C-alpha cells in the first residue's frame, strides 16, 4: 500500500509536468498560426478584376504596372489603385492580353514584371502547411518520451543522498584550524581524528580503534559546522555535508535509502568525513512521539545506527554530527561504538572573543583606536556568530556614515544594536516621559556603582532601542562561571533601582519597570528553588521535565507541599523587599548625584563609562572602600 502511494505520487507529479508541456506546445502552434495569418493577410486587400476588365484598362491607358507572380497578377493603375487578377496557367501575360484584343503598342506602354517563385515562399506556401501537423505530432511524442524518461530517472534517484561534497583540492573552500579562533580544547580533541585520517596504520598497528562518531554539542553560533569543516581541511579529505532534515520524506523508507547511499559514497571516497548537521531532526528519542516502528524518522535513525555499526576497523570514514539539543537524542546514538566521543563547544571567554574578533576583522579597515580587547570585555555571552555579526554591523554602519575606516564608536554602537536593536531617534517622547526615563536609568546606574558585587556601568542612554525606552549597560570586568549569593542580592537592588527612583522622585511608578520586576522576581525565586540560597535550606523545589511530543515541551513537577509553596512566596517577597529598601536608602543618601546624572542624561542623552565614573567620583580602578557593603541583604 505504501509503495502504491509512492507510485501514485510520482505519476501524478510528472503527469502534471507533462500536461504543462502539452500546453506549451499548443501555445507554440497558435503562435505559428498567428504568424501565418499575419504573413498571408496584408493590411489592405486589393480589389479583384477579371481579365477582360484588365484588357479594357490596358487599352484605355489606365494601367501603370503589372507584376506577375506565378498565375497571380498584381496590377497598379496610374492613380495608385492596386488591383489583382488571375491568368491562365498555360499562357503568358502578353499572350493572354493579345487574346483579349489588346493592342501591342498599348502592351508596350505597361511595365510588366515577371517574378520567379523563391524557395522560402515555396516551403511556406506549399509544403509547410502540410508538414506542420506532422511536426507538431512529432514534437508532442518527443515531449512525452522525454518526460517519461525524466520521471523514471527522478523516481529512481528519489532515494539518493542529497549530501554536498567539498573537494579537498578546492583551496577556495578549504578551511583549517587556523580559520577557527578559540575552542582550544575542541581542537585538541579533534586533532586525533585528523591524525587517524592522515596515518591510520599508526593507530591500527597498536590495536587502537578510533571513535567512529564525534558529536559536537553547543549553543547555536559556537562554530560546530566550522570546526567540522576544519577537521576535513586539516586531514585533506572529502567532506560530505548534509542536514538531518534532508533525510526525512513523507514516504517510509526514503530516508533510510538516502542514508545507505550517503555512506556508500563516503566509503568510495574514503578516507572521508560525513557531517550531519542538526542530527536531532532524525535522532530524537524513539517512541516519544506519534507513529510506531514504521515511522519514517525512526526508520532513518535505525539505518544510521546500522551503518555506524557496520563499519569495520579498516574503513576510514568518520561521522561528525552537531546538535544544540543533546537532551532529546536517542540513547542508542550515544552508546560506545557510535557517537562515543562528545566535544563541547562552549561560548568563548574574553581571550577567545578577542581572538575571534581579530580573525573576523582581518579584511576590515579598523582605526588605531579600535580596541578589540575592550570590545571583548563588553560582549560576555556572545558566540562566534554574534561577534562576526557585530563586526559586520560595524562595517555597515561605517559605510552608512561615509567613513573609510571602522572606529570604536561604530563597534560599541554595534554591540548595543545586536543586543537591543537599532536606535529609534525618530520616536517622539514627551518631555515628562523623557524625564522619567532619565531618572529611571540614573537610578539603575547609581545603585550599580554603589554596591560591591555589581557589574561596572559601561554606558547609560535614554535613546530608545527596540522595545526599551532607555538602557543601562553593565558588564563584568572578567568572565564569571560561578555566581555568589551576594552577587544575586546586589543584582536585585540594581534591578529595583529604576523602580525606586521613579517612586522617590515622582511619587508614582510606570510600566517602564515591568521587565526589571520580572527579572528580579525570577532571580529571587531561583535563589530559593534552584540554588538553595535561602533559609529553607540546601535543596531544590520542583522538578522540570522535558517531554518530546510534537516538539519540546517543558513540564514542572511540583514535589513540595502547599505550606512550602507559601513559604517560598514569602521568601521571594522578602528578597524583593530587602533589595528595594537598599535601593531606596542609597538613592536618598545620594540624591545630589542622582539629580546630576539625570540632568546630564536629559542634556546629552548618553553617558559613557569615563564620564559616568567622573560624575560618581570613581577612580579608574574601583577600590573596595568606594563601595557600600549592604549589611541589610546578608540575612533574608
Amino acid at each position: 500500500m505504501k509503495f502504491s502511494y509512492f507510485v501514485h505520487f510520482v505519476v501524478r507529479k510528472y503527469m502534471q509536468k507533462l500536461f504543462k508541456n502539452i500546453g506549451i506546445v499548443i501555445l507554440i502552434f497558435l503562435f505559428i498560426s498567428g504568424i501565418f495569418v499575419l504573413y498571408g493577410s496584408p493590411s489592405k486587400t486589393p480589389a479583384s478584376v477579371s481579365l477582360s476588365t484588365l484588357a479594357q484598362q490596358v487599352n484605355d491607358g489606365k494601367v501603370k504596372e503589372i507584376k506577375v507572380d506565378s498565375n497571380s497578377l498584381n496590377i497598379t493603375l496610374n492613380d495608385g489603385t492596386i488591383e489583382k487578377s488571375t491568368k491562365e496557367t498555360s499562357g503568358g501575360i502578353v499572350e493572354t492580353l493579345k487574346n483579349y484584343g489588346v493592342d501591342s503598342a498599348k502592351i508596350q506602354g505597361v511595365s510588366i514584371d515577371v517574378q520567379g517563385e523563391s524557395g522560402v515562399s515555396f516551403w511556406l506556401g506549399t509544403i509547410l502547411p502540410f508538414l506542420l501537423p506532422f511536426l507538431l505530432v512529432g514534437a508532442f511524442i518527443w515531449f512525452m518520451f522525454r518526460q517519461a524518461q525524466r520521471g523514471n530517472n527522478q523516481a529512481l534517484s528519489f532515494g539518493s543522498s542529497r549530501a554536498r561534497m567539498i573537494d579537498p583540492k578546492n583551496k577556495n573552500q578549504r578551511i583549517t584550524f587556523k580559520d577557527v579562533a578559540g575552542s582550544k580544547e575542541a581542537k585538541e580533541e579533534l586533532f586525533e581524528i585528523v591524525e587517524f585520517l592522515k596515518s591510520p596504520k599508526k593507530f591500527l598497528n597498536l590495536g587502537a580503534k578510533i571513535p567512529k562518531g564525534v558529536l559536537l554539542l553547543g549553543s547555536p553560533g559556537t562554530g560546530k559546522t566550522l570546526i567540522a569543516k576544519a577537521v576535513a581541511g586539516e586531514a585533506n579529505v572529502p567532506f560530505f555535508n548534509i542536514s538531518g532534515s534532508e533525510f526525512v520524506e513523507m514516504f517510509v523508507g526514503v530516508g533510510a535509502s538516502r542514508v545507505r547511499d550517503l555512506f556508500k559514497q563516503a566509503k568510495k571516497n574514503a578516507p572521508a568525513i560525513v557531517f550531519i548537521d542538526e542530527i536531532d531532526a532524525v535522532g530524537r528519542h524513539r517512541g516519544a512521539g506519534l507513529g510506531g516502528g514504521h515511522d519514517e524518522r525512526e526508520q532513518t535513525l535505525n539505518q544510521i545506527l546500522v551503518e555506524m555499526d557496520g563499519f569495520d576497523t579498516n574503513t576510514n570514514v568518520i561521522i561528525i554530527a552537531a546538535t544544540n539539543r543533546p537532551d532529546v537524542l536517542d540513547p542508542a546514538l550515544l552508546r560506545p561504538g557510535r557517537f562515543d566521543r562528545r566535544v563541547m563547544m562552549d561560548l568563548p571567554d574574553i581571550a577567545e572573543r578577542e581572538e575571534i574578533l581579530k580573525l573576523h576583522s582581518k579584511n576590515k579597515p579598523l582605526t588605531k583606536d579600535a580596541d578589540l580587547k575592550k570590545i571583548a570585555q563588553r560582549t560576555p555571552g556572545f558566540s562566534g556568530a554574534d561577534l562576526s555579526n557585530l563586526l559586520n554591523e560595524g562595517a555597515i554602519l561605517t559605510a552608512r556614515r561615509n567613513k573609510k575606516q571602522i572606529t570604536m564608536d561604530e563597534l560599541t554602537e554595534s554591540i548595543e544594536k545586536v543586543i537591543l536593536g537599532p536606535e529609534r531617534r525618530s520616536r517622539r517622547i514627551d518631555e515628562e516621559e523623557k524625564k522619567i526615563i532619565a531618572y529611571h536609568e540614573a537610578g539603575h546606574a547609581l545603585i550599580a556603582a554603589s554596591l560591591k558585587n555589581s557589574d561596572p556601568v559601561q554606558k547609560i542612554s535614554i535613546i530608545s532601542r527596540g522595545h526599551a525606552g532607555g538602557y543601562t549597560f553593565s558588564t563584568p570586568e572578567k568572565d564569571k562561571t560561578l555566581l555568589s549569593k551576594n552577587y544575586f542580592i546586589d543584582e536585585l537592588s540594581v534591578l529595583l533601582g529604576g523602580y525606586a527612583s521613579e517612586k522617590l522622585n515622582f511619587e508614582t511608578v510606570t510600566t517602564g519597570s515591568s521587565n526589571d520586576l520580572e527579572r528580579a522576581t525570577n532571580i529571587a525565586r531561583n535563589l530559593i528553588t534552584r540554588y538553595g540560597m535561602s533559609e529553607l535550606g540546601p535543596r531544590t523545589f520542583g522538578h522540570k521535565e522535558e517531554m518530546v511530543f510534537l516538539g519540546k515541551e517543558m513540564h514542572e513537577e511540583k514535589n513540595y507541599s502547599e505550606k512550602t509553596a507559601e513559604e517560598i512566596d514569602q521568601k521571594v517577597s522578602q528578597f524583593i523587599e530587602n533589595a528595594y529598601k537598599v535601593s531606596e536608602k542609597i538613592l536618598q543618601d545620594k540624591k545630589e548625584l542622582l539629580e546630576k546624572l539625570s540632568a546630564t542624561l536629559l542634556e546629552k542623552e548618553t553617558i559613557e563609562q569615563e564620564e559616568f565614573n567622573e560624575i560618581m567620583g570613581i577612580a579608574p580602578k574601583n577600590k573596595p572602600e568606594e563601595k557600600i557593603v549592604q549589611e541589610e541583604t546578608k540575612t533574608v
Side-chain angles (χ1 to χ4, degrees):
M1 183 65 73
K2 298 286 185 180
F3 180 73
S4 64
Y5 287 155
F6 170 72
V7 173
H8 175 69
F9 170 77
V10 173
V11 171
R12 184 178 63 180
K13 180 178 179 181
Y14 294 107
M15 284 301 293
Q16 289 174 351
K17 290 186 177 181
L18 180 61
F19 289 134
K20 181 180 178 181
N21 288 323
I22 293 173
I24 294 174
V25 173
I26 294 174
L27 289 175
I28 293 173
F29 173 74
L30 293 176
F31 178 74
I32 295 174
S33 301
I35 291 177
F36 274 105
V37 170
L38 292 175
Y39 180 81
S41 301
S43 58
K44 185 178 180 181
T45 305
S48 297
V49 296
S50 62
L51 286 175
S52 58
T53 304
L54 175 61
Q56 184 63 38
Q57 289 175 339
V58 173
N59 281 328
D60 295 340
K62 296 180 179 180
V63 179
K64 179 182 178 182
E65 182 184 19
I66 299 175
K67 291 183 178 180
V68 182
D69 184 3
S70 186
N71 296 326
S72 300
L73 304 178
N74 297 317
I75 308 160
T76 304
L77 303 181
N78 292 330
D79 59 358
T81 303
I82 298 175
E83 297 175 343
K84 66 177 182 178
S85 183
T86 305
K87 70 177 184 65
E88 297 175 355
T89 306
S90 58
I93 183 61
V94 176
E95 183 182 354
T96 301
L97 290 174
K98 285 182 179 181
N99 292 336
Y100 276 88
V102 179
D103 190 8
S104 298
K106 296 291 185 178
I107 295 176
Q108 292 178 1
V110 179
S111 175
I112 299 175
D113 182 13
V114 180
Q115 297 179 348
E117 187 175 17
S118 65
V120 175
S121 300
F122 176 77
W123 279 96
L124 291 177
T126 306
I127 299 179
L128 189 58
F130 296 98
L131 190 60
L132 185 61
F134 296 99
L135 293 175
L136 291 176
V137 172
F140 175 72
I141 295 173
W142 179 74
F143 269 115
M144 288 185 62
F145 277 107
R146 183 184 177 190
Q147 292 302 318
Q149 185 178 6
R150 181 183 296 179
N152 290 334
N153 292 336
Q154 293 190 6
L156 293 174
S157 64
F158 199 68
S160 300
S161 170
R162 307 292 174 89
R164 298 161 292 278
M165 188 185 80
I166 297 179
D167 194 341
K169 297 179 182 179
N170 190 346
K171 295 183 179 180
N172 294 329
Q173 293 184 331
R174 186 179 177 185
I175 296 174
T176 62
F177 283 153
K178 292 181 181 179
D179 301 312
V180 182
S183 306
K184 184 179 179 181
E185 291 78 11
K187 290 179 184 177
E188 291 177 355
E189 281 286 315
L190 294 171
F191 194 75
E192 292 182 7
I193 307 296
V194 175
E195 287 292 318
F196 174 77
L197 291 172
K198 284 184 175 179
S199 52
K201 291 183 179 180
K202 174 182 175 182
F203 296 88
L204 297 176
N205 291 338
L206 296 173
K209 295 181 180 179
I210 202 71
K212 298 175 184 178
V214 179
L215 186 63
L216 301 177
L217 311 173
S219 303
T222 50
K224 299 184 290 293
T225 304
L226 185 66
I227 203 166
K229 290 182 179 179
V231 173
E234 287 287 337
N236 199 28
V237 296
F239 181 80
F240 292 88
N241 180 20
I242 192 170
S243 173
S245 60
E246 294 183 60
F247 289 117
V248 182
E249 282 285 352
M250 64 181 293
F251 303 108
V252 174
V254 175
S257 175
R258 289 178 179 175
V259 171
R260 288 191 293 270
D261 188 65
L262 171 62
F263 283 85
K264 182 179 178 181
Q265 292 181 33
K267 291 176 183 179
K268 285 183 179 179
N269 293 274
I273 288 178
V274 174
F275 177 66
I276 305 175
D277 198 7
E278 304 296 345
I279 194 172
D280 52 274
V282 292
R284 286 172 175 264
H285 200 294
R286 288 172 290 183
L290 294 177
H294 294 286
D295 181 58
E296 165 65 359
R297 181 183 56 78
E298 293 190 8
Q299 293 284 357
T300 306
L301 174 58
N302 291 338
Q303 189 62 44
I304 292 175
L305 298 177
V306 170
E307 291 290 343
M308 292 188 71
D309 266 350
F311 286 156
D312 54 26
T313 55
N314 296 321
T315 304
N316 300 339
V317 177
I318 304 296
I319 313 301
I320 300 179
T323 182
N324 51 18
R325 303 174 64 187
D327 50 309
V328 301
L329 294 180
D330 193 277
L333 273 176
L334 307 177
R335 73 157 176 82
R338 287 173 180 152
F339 289 107
D340 47 8
R341 175 165 296 194
R342 304 169 200 176
V343 178
M344 192 68 192
M345 301 291 293
D346 292 318
L347 290 172
D349 58 22
I350 184 170
E352 291 174 335
R353 290 198 297 273
E354 186 177 358
E355 290 181 22
I356 294 171
L357 288 168
K358 288 179 179 178
L359 180 66
H360 288 293
S361 63
K362 281 184 178 180
N363 60 343
K364 295 179 175 63
L366 301 178
T367 57
K368 293 182 180 179
D369 67 329
D371 189 356
L372 295 181
K373 184 175 182 180
K374 192 172 183 180
I375 298 297
Q377 291 176 345
R378 288 194 174 194
T379 52
F382 273 48
S383 65
D386 292 330
L387 295 171
S388 176
N389 185 36
L390 186 153
L391 287 170
N392 185 60
E393 290 289 345
I396 293 173
L397 188 59
T398 302
R400 192 183 303 165
R401 294 175 178 176
N402 296 321
K403 294 183 179 180
K404 300 297 183 183
Q405 289 182 312
I406 304 172
T407 66
M408 193 67 177
D409 293 338
E410 282 76 37
L411 293 178
T412 53
E413 189 169 341
S414 297
I415 297 174
E416 297 158 17
K417 184 177 181 181
V418 170
I419 296 175
L420 298 172
E423 285 187 352
R424 300 170 63 189
R425 289 185 178 273
S426 61
R427 180 182 177 186
R428 294 182 179 180
I429 302 177
D430 184 75
E431 289 299 324
E432 184 65 23
E433 287 189 9
K434 192 174 182 181
K435 188 176 180 181
I436 293 173
I437 294 172
Y439 273 93
H440 182 101
E441 300 304 331
H444 283 309
L446 183 58
I447 302 298
S450 303
L451 296 177
K452 180 179 179 181
N453 300 292
S454 59
D455 297 327
V457 176
Q458 303 287 343
K459 184 177 181 178
I460 319 169
S461 177
I462 59 172
I463 299 173
S464 177
R465 277 187 179 273
H467 296 289
Y471 57 93
T472 301
F473 194 55
S474 302
T475 56
E477 295 179 344
K478 57 182 180 180
D479 292 337
K480 298 178 181 179
T481 54
L482 298 175
L483 301 177
S484 65
K485 178 182 177 181
N486 290 333
Y487 172 80
F488 285 120
I489 291 175
D490 284 358
E491 186 67 17
L492 286 174
S493 297
V494 173
L495 289 171
L496 293 170
Y499 178 89
S501 179
E502 287 185 22
K503 195 169 184 180
L504 180 65
N505 291 279
F506 301 97
E507 297 183 355
T508 185
V509 291
T510 66
T511 56
S513 303
S514 60
N515 182 254
D516 299 331
L517 297 178
E518 183 180 353
R519 291 168 59 193
T521 304
N522 288 335
I523 290 175
R525 185 167 293 275
N526 287 335
L527 282 170
I528 302 164
T529 60
R530 292 185 59 191
Y531 308 139
M533 296 180 178
S534 71
E535 294 176 351
L536 295 182
R539 59 161 292 189
T540 61
F541 298 92
H543 175 65
K544 290 184 178 180
E545 294 182 348
E546 296 172 355
M547 299 188 300
V548 186
F549 182 76
L550 300 178
K552 183 176 180 181
E553 183 179 344
M554 298 297 295
H555 172 73
E556 184 172 355
E557 179 186 353
K558 189 176 180 181
N559 57 1
Y560 49 88
S561 64
E562 293 297 329
K563 182 181 178 181
T564 304
E566 185 177 351
E567 290 179 358
I568 291 173
D569 291 337
Q570 290 176 355
K571 294 302 177 184
V572 169
S573 300
Q574 195 172 357
F575 271 120
I576 300 294
E577 289 172 5
N578 287 343
Y580 174 75
K581 289 178 182 178
V582 171
S583 300
E584 189 178 38
K585 183 177 185 304
I586 293 173
L587 293 176
Q588 288 175 345
D589 293 343
K590 298 188 176 183
K591 180 73 172 177
E592 294 181 1
L593 286 174
L594 180 64
E595 296 289 343
K596 189 174 181 180
L597 278 173
S598 303
T600 306
L601 278 173
L602 288 171
E603 178 185 355
K604 298 183 177 181
E605 293 187 334
T606 299
I607 301 176
E608 293 290 344
Q609 184 180 20
E610 294 77 9
E611 187 177 1
F612 173 75
N613 290 341
E614 184 179 348
I615 294 173
M616 295 296 298
I618 300 175
K621 291 185 178 180
N622 296 341
K623 297 180 182 179
E625 55 268 18
E626 292 176 349
K627 298 263 189 172
I628 294 177
V629 179
Q630 56 168 341
E631 298 292 338
E632 296 88 345
T633 59
K634 287 189 176 180
T635 57
V636 180

